[in-house]
Amino acid sequence: MRKVTIGAVVLCAAMVAQVPAAHAQRQVAGPVTDPNDPKYITAQTRKMGGPMPAEQLALIFDHLDLALKVFPDEKRIEGVTTLSLRTKAPITTLILDLFPKFTISEIAIDGKNVAPSAYSNPEGQLRITLATPFDAGAKFTARIVYAGTPPLAKRPPWEGGTTWMKTPDGKYPWIDTSLWGGGCDLLYPCLDHPTLKPATSDLHYTVPAGLMAPGNGAFVGKEEKDGWTTWNWRARSIHTYGSVLDVGPYKVMEGDYKSRFGNTIPMRFFYLPGEETKAAELFAEFPQTLDFWENVIGPYPWADQKMGVIRVPYSGLENQTLIGYSNDYPKTMFGWDWLLNHEFSHEWFANQLSVANYDDLWLHEGLGSYAQPLIAEYLGGEIDYMAQLKSQRAGIRNEQPLVTGQERGEKEVYADPTGPRGDIYPKGSWVAHTLRKLIGDDAFFKSIRTLVYGRPDPKPGNFTPQFGTTQGYLKIVNDITGKDYKWFFDVYFYRAALPKVVATRENGMLKVRWQTPDNLPFPMPLDVRVNGKVVTLPMTAGSGETPAGAQAAVTIDPSSKILMQSDAIDKFQAWQATQRAGRQ
Ligand SMILES: [Zn+2]
């Protein structure tokens, strides 16, 4: 998911130029409350993750079979969804998430039709009373036949739904879905909690002949019948917001990437006719992006399927193996496309490593944002790494802690003022940078690899998708370093305010101390440069000193290793706020 840009803040000039005007102002839109508005979505359908009914948490989702027939002129779909489920605990009611305005024509459990009186879906939780309750360990299928218009995307890709439009030449339907900000139940019956993504999926999209419906995973084949084409895809471990319904007159650029791990990764770019030249230039970036990832982090997790990118109108979104690319092929001073690289980072930080609780969403967006300084460093060197970080630094607001330790849904983290919202991107990135500088490259990248793959030595075939938590990452860092970095996590993740250096000069000495929220311990070593000479103060008790005369030239943290309070940034942000107020 691309970052919500903060009006006029932050971004380096190149990035500002890339942001469509419609997305340039940070607005967390409230729900549409008129049920007759085609953008209306119930609170239940808008919800992603968070506390769930026990009946849902009792389930294991083995397989999703999703067949959608798409009627572009009517903005309507007909769906047949079969969920293969198992129970970890007894259930008497099956509860699925589904947009309540879909009309359900048939439900069958294990092939036996359920009487309409046995199910209802008033607000987005489809409750099916089971004729025979299931014990723990039961295996069954639920088939739901339904139809209707999926909710129209209100503000894609941040408030999800479906967008029905025409290609820029006005000739063909161009349909896009963004399931972020709503989840799978915007499109099909499912279990909208990160831990309840299906292990495997078969997707069948039937569209008018002449149109293509690219999907997640590997292409299985297409069937033509009576003026319709069905596109079949097979995928594994698709996130609950990571599937797509994208339809258009797509063309495909194809290539193979020879991985350093010995395997071959199919590369596919689904683009629109008329964009061949620009599309070819973007496609030429795919191998260098894979080079970076496989060198610095580890093997591409979905090599058995594809590296897939699709040109879409809105969704800069990490749909697994089919990431949405809505940029207009800009050129940047860095020489690579930031949206492509941000979204591609999510194949690791969101799709391979998924949060179990949206409270830890910085693992997706913060590490995903740190991937841009990292690729900048890999391709362009130190100045590009620092330039990326500096632009991110200016966007950190510190209004709420990144993490609470509570079970939270996506809205509480991403949209509500009580959550960290946009900070999960740049602050998450800067915390990663600070940790790297603290523990060193070897330990840092080993910790990231272990977090992402569940092991420090990933190779194709020896790892499975992982769920991660902030506390789990702390344990990994502690195990690898043999030290306890709880103090680091306590300040950066569980407190809003940044640590601050308080510096004074007395009697020929520079005295520095860390000031932290709630006076938390913060033994962060601090570099200071005095008259051109750098000394590292251990700060074990939170303070230190070094000789510096009254006229000495002093720079705190001259290599910018540490995320800390900055008067310059605070004043810059305050000035920006006055500029925004003046424009309104
Ligand atoms: Zn993102």
Side-chain angles (χ1 to χ4, degrees):
M1 157 91 32
R2 68 157 71 180
K3 184 181 186 304
V4 180
T5 53
I6 301 169
V9 179
V10 183
L11 312 167
C12 62
M15 290 179 81
V16 170
Q18 292 159 23
V19 176
H23 296 161
Q25 187 73 31
R26 179 178 182 165
Q27 295 170 339
V28 177
V32 175
T33 51
D34 175 5
N36 295 315
D37 188 315
K39 295 191 180 72
Y40 173 74
I41 305 176
T42 61
Q44 177 60 41
T45 300
R46 288 181 80 236
K47 177 176 175 282
M48 285 170 55
M52 300 281 277
E55 291 90 337
Q56 291 190 314
L57 295 174
L59 297 171
I60 296 168
F61 195 172
D62 285 329
H63 185 71
L64 165 73
D65 190 284
L66 174 64
L68 296 178
K69 189 170 186 179
V70 183
F71 300 84
D73 293 342
E74 301 167 46
K75 298 183 180 172
R76 197 171 73 86
I77 60 170
E78 292 177 357
V80 181
T81 303
T82 305
L83 299 88
S84 300
L85 300 162
R86 272 184 291 151
T87 52
K88 291 186 283 188
I91 56 167
T92 57
T93 306
L94 174 63
I95 303 179
L96 300 175
D97 296 304
L98 181 65
F99 177 54
K101 284 194 168 183
F102 285 132
T103 303
I104 295 172
S105 56
E106 189 184 316
I107 293 180
I109 303 291
D110 278 339
K112 292 194 188 105
N113 276 9
V114 176
S117 58
Y119 62 82
S120 66
N121 184 18
E123 290 294 328
Q125 270 185 341
L126 172 59
R127 298 178 67 89
I128 305 165
T129 304
L130 297 167
T132 312
F134 287 115
D135 289 333
K139 242 179 143 171
F140 67 99
T141 61
R143 181 173 183 267
I144 294 100
V145 183
Y146 64 103
T149 298
L152 301 186
K154 184 178 163 197
R155 192 170 154 268
W158 301 292
E159 280 288 329
T162 300
T163 304
W164 308 75
M165 47 192 297
K166 295 282 187 191
T167 49
D169 61 12
K171 288 185 185 164
Y172 300 96
W174 194 21
I175 302 165
D176 181 27
T177 46
S178 323
L179 295 186
W180 183 261
C184 45
D185 48 339
L186 296 173
L187 202 57
Y188 60 93
C190 64
L191 297 155
D192 195 1
H193 190 276
T195 58
L196 287 167
K197 55 183 174 180
T200 54
S201 300
D202 278 301
L203 311 166
H204 320 278
Y205 299 134
T206 301
V207 299
L211 298 177
M212 184 188 286
N216 309 91
F219 180 53
V220 175
K222 64 172 178 169
E223 299 145 52
E224 312 263 359
K225 195 177 176 191
D226 302 332
W228 295 88
T229 307
T230 300
W231 299 83
N232 300 301
W233 304 86
R234 184 162 299 153
R236 59 183 170 85
S237 196
I238 307 177
H239 211 294
T240 53
Y241 63 84
S243 45
V244 278
L245 175 64
D246 281 330
V247 181
Y250 284 109
K251 295 186 161 194
V252 193
M253 243 162 238
E254 300 188 4
D256 283 336
Y257 176 83
K258 296 283 180 205
S259 163
R260 72 211 56 250
F261 294 98
N263 56 330
T264 299
I265 303 169
M267 299 181 296
R268 301 286 183 271
F269 183 28
F270 302 90
Y271 66 98
L272 291 179
E275 297 183 343
E276 283 78 2
T277 305
K278 289 176 176 176
E281 288 178 10
L282 187 68
F283 190 59
E285 287 188 29
F286 287 23
Q288 74 178 18
T289 294
L290 281 164
D291 278 347
F292 154 70
W293 279 96
E294 294 213 314
N295 261 319
V296 177
I297 305 295
Y300 178 58
W302 316 103
D304 56 322
Q305 301 178 354
K306 66 181 180 294
M307 173 188 178
V309 182
I310 185 165
R311 177 82 159 94
V312 289
Y314 292 113
S315 46
L317 192 56
E318 59 263 30
N319 299 310
Q320 186 189 303
T321 64
L322 194 66
I323 59 174
Y325 175 79
S326 55
N327 247 2
D328 194 21
Y329 304 101
K331 297 298 176 198
T332 76
M333 66 175 93
F334 296 97
W336 42 271
D337 189 285
W338 73 273
L339 184 62
L340 170 72
N341 280 283
H342 178 81
E343 301 311 334
F344 193 56
S345 75
H346 288 309
E347 296 287 24
W348 283 261
F349 305 122
N351 294 334
Q352 164 62 26
L353 167 73
S354 303
V355 295
N357 172 358
Y358 283 112
D359 191 45
D360 297 305
L361 193 55
W362 77 272
L363 291 172
H364 292 190
E365 298 298 356
L367 295 178
S369 294
Y370 188 50
Q372 285 88 78
L374 285 178
I375 193 171
E377 182 182 35
Y378 181 86
L379 295 174
E382 193 68 12
I383 191 171
D384 286 8
Y385 176 76
M386 286 296 190
Q388 288 278 329
L389 279 174
K390 187 70 179 182
S391 70
Q392 292 181 345
R393 176 64 186 88
I396 299 174
R397 321 303 287 192
N398 303 303
E399 290 164 353
Q400 299 290 342
L402 287 181
V403 182
T404 65
Q406 308 297 311
E407 170 83 24
R408 289 199 294 182
E410 170 263 340
K411 291 284 176 293
E412 289 103 291
V413 177
Y414 203 80
D416 295 349
T418 52
R421 297 189 289 183
D423 263 6
I424 57 175
Y425 293 78
K427 190 169 179 179
S429 173
W430 259 89
V431 172
H433 163 74
T434 305
L435 181 64
R436 176 186 174 190
K437 294 300 173 186
L438 178 63
I439 66 176
D441 279 12
D442 286 352
F444 174 76
F445 287 107
K446 188 176 179 186
S447 76
I448 294 292
R449 260 193 300 283
T450 306
L451 175 71
V452 167
Y453 298 98
R455 58 190 301 164
D457 57 347
K459 292 181 182 62
N462 78 356
F463 60 88
T464 53
Q466 301 290 308
F467 286 107
T469 64
T470 306
Q471 285 300 311
Y473 185 48
L474 169 60
K475 183 172 185 315
I476 289 170
V477 170
N478 287 349
D479 287 348
I480 287 172
T481 58
K483 295 180 181 172
D484 187 356
Y485 286 103
K486 181 174 181 293
W487 59 269
F488 180 99
F489 279 59
D490 282 349
V491 169
Y492 281 124
F493 290 112
Y494 295 94
R495 295 294 186 284
L498 291 176
K500 176 179 180 174
V501 172
V502 179
T504 53
R505 292 198 212 182
E506 293 172 28
N507 305 325
M509 297 297 287
L510 171 72
K511 297 189 174 189
V512 289
R513 68 180 171 85
W514 284 114
Q515 181 179 302
T516 56
D518 300 330
N519 288 318
L520 286 171
F522 196 67
M524 173 72 85
L526 181 67
D527 289 351
V528 294
R529 187 173 62 203
V530 180
N531 289 335
K533 184 163 176 278
V534 177
V535 291
T536 302
L537 303 176
M539 306 291 277
T540 29
S543 62
E545 60 182 32
T546 190
Q551 302 299 319
V554 170
T555 305
I556 304 288
D557 190 28
S559 296
S560 308
K561 294 177 180 174
I562 303 172
L563 174 60
M564 65 174 84
Q565 184 273 343
S566 156
D567 288 343
I569 296 288
D570 290 349
K571 287 175 186 170
F572 175 61
Q573 291 180 344
W575 173 79
Q576 286 180 316
T578 65
Q579 297 295 298
R580 280 197 298 279
R583 279 199 300 272
Q584 283 166 2

